Amino acid sequence: PSVATIWRVLQRRGFVTPQPQKRPKTSWIRFEARLPNECWQADVTHWRLADDTEVEICVFLDDHSRLVTGTGVSAVTTADKVVAIFRAAAQTWGLPASVLTDNGCVFTAWHRGGATVFETELLALGIEFKHSRPYHPQTCGKVERFHQTLKLFLAKQPPAATIGELQAQVDDFVTYYNHERPHRAKNRMPPVVAYTARDTARPTGAPATTTGVRVRQDRVDKAGSVTLRHAGRLHHIGVGRDHHRQRVIMLINGLDIRIITPDGEPLRHLTLDPTRDYQPTGRPPGPPKGRPLGPRKNKPPTLPPNRPR
């Protein structure tokens, strides 16, 4: 007999003590937002085009109703792309009270001591931002589960040749998913029915927008610097020649300046000195001009000319 048959016989007669290798489902704590727009989940997943090119799909999903509020397909999901998807979703469905994501660099930079454009956008709108702990995808399980459903649909469609074709396939499925497809977690109701059954939640935080808070996009020049105008005066901020021609995002809060890449990687953080056109780099000064960098060579002493006796 097979090993499985022997195991079933021994278990039936009480000689085997079950030892589950996985955590039982009954131990998980299930949570769900009480109102639509009380919490949106967001995440990015991967897919391949017909020529095997890898692209990314960003999804925003309502935690209460499972309604997909926004999607976006791109070669690489950047921070400004996430903000554009969020703004389009908020224009259609309204602003959420909170947003829950994982620790992706396009969403949060808390572990690097900074802030992304997406975090700044939520802060300016008074929206609470929440993120899961590292290596714990179950916290964003609803949008993770939607990715699985979306990929099952895309696998049955003709492979998309371009990002535009894939976006059209995603949009077609989202329309069907939101308005027609029954959802088991919502008593077989389509998500849009569950979304409209209750009043929507709204942001409860105080907007952090002030006259000194703004976001600016720029490109590093040949000298490795970016410019910023403050109080009518132009200031130059050094980023580094290694970032020549690279696009950057400047998070400006009064005199506090943070410069990050579109992916959320911090490049520089400084306090602007309004009295100086060229901001100091904070590095120790180099040798003065005209002085050789290496050790001086020992020269023979200069002897005085011979004098007659």
Side-chain angles (χ1 to χ4, degrees), residues 211-212 214 228-235 252 254-255 257 272-277:
T211 55
R214 56 194 174 106
L228 175 66
R229 189 171 296 278
H230 176 79
R233 185 174 179 177
L234 191 64
H235 303 274
I252 307 163
L255 298 179
I257 313 297
L272 186 72
D273 185 356
T275 63
R276 307 184 65 167
D277 292 342

Side-chain angles (χ1 to χ4, degrees), residues 79-80 83 87 105 107-109 112-124 212-218 226 228 237 248-272:
D80 53 348
V83 173
R87 289 176 177 175
C105 294
F107 295 121
T108 178
R112 298 191 302 271
T116 63
V117 180
F118 183 61
E119 289 177 295
T120 306
E121 178 81 6
L122 299 181
L123 179 66
V213 177
R214 56 194 174 106
V215 178
R216 181 173 178 270
Q217 298 188 18
D218 202 347
V226 293
L228 175 66
I237 303 174
V248 295
I249 299 173
M250 305 176 66
L251 308 177
I252 307 163
N253 185 4
L255 298 179
D256 185 79
I257 313 297
R258 294 179 186 269
I259 303 176
I260 62 177
T261 65
D263 296 331
E265 178 185 357
L267 299 179
R268 189 175 177 190
H269 180 205
L270 74 153
T271 300
L272 186 72

Side-chain angles (χ1 to χ4, degrees), residues 4-177:
T5 301
I6 296 175
W7 185 87
R8 285 195 300 268
V9 172
L10 295 177
Q11 183 189 38
R12 185 167 60 247
R13 300 206 174 184
F15 294 110
V16 175
T17 302
Q19 297 181 357
Q21 301 299 319
K22 294 185 178 180
R23 182 177 173 181
K25 294 184 178 180
T26 55
S27 65
W28 297 106
I29 300 176
R30 185 177 182 273
F31 69 92
E32 181 181 272
R34 294 178 297 118
L35 296 174
N37 283 5
E38 182 178 335
C39 178
W40 284 4
Q41 294 189 13
D43 195 15
V44 176
T45 189
H46 300 266
W47 191 252
R48 292 187 179 275
L49 300 177
D51 59 354
D52 207 34
T53 301
E54 187 174 272
V55 296
E56 297 180 348
I57 306 174
C58 179
V59 176
F60 281 85
L61 180 138
D62 180 58
D63 189 279
H64 170 77
S65 62
R66 312 302 198 276
L67 180 82
V68 178
T69 56
T71 62
V73 182
S74 55
V76 177
T77 303
T78 58
D80 53 348
K81 179 67 173 179
V82 172
V83 173
I85 298 171
F86 173 78
R87 289 176 177 175
Q91 188 175 5
T92 304
W93 304 102
L95 291 173
S98 64
V99 174
L100 173 64
T101 71
D102 58 13
N103 297 277
C105 294
V106 295
F107 295 121
T108 178
W110 69 271
H111 49 287
R112 298 191 302 271
T116 63
V117 180
F118 183 61
E119 289 177 295
T120 306
E121 178 81 6
L122 299 181
L123 179 66
L125 297 173
I127 299 173
E128 180 185 4
F129 177 72
K130 300 177 289 186
H131 59 83
S132 62
R133 70 174 185 263
Y135 309 107
H136 195 266
Q138 294 87 349
T139 305
C140 301
K142 298 180 182 66
V143 68
E144 295 275 4
R145 182 61 181 83
F146 172 77
H147 286 164
Q148 180 180 349
T149 305
L150 174 63
K151 290 180 178 180
L152 289 175
F153 169 82
L154 294 177
K156 298 179 180 179
Q157 308 304 311
T162 62
I163 292 179
E165 292 182 13
L166 181 59
Q167 182 69 66
Q169 292 179 352
V170 173
D171 292 341
D172 291 342
F173 176 74
V174 168
T175 301
Y176 165 73
Y177 176 89

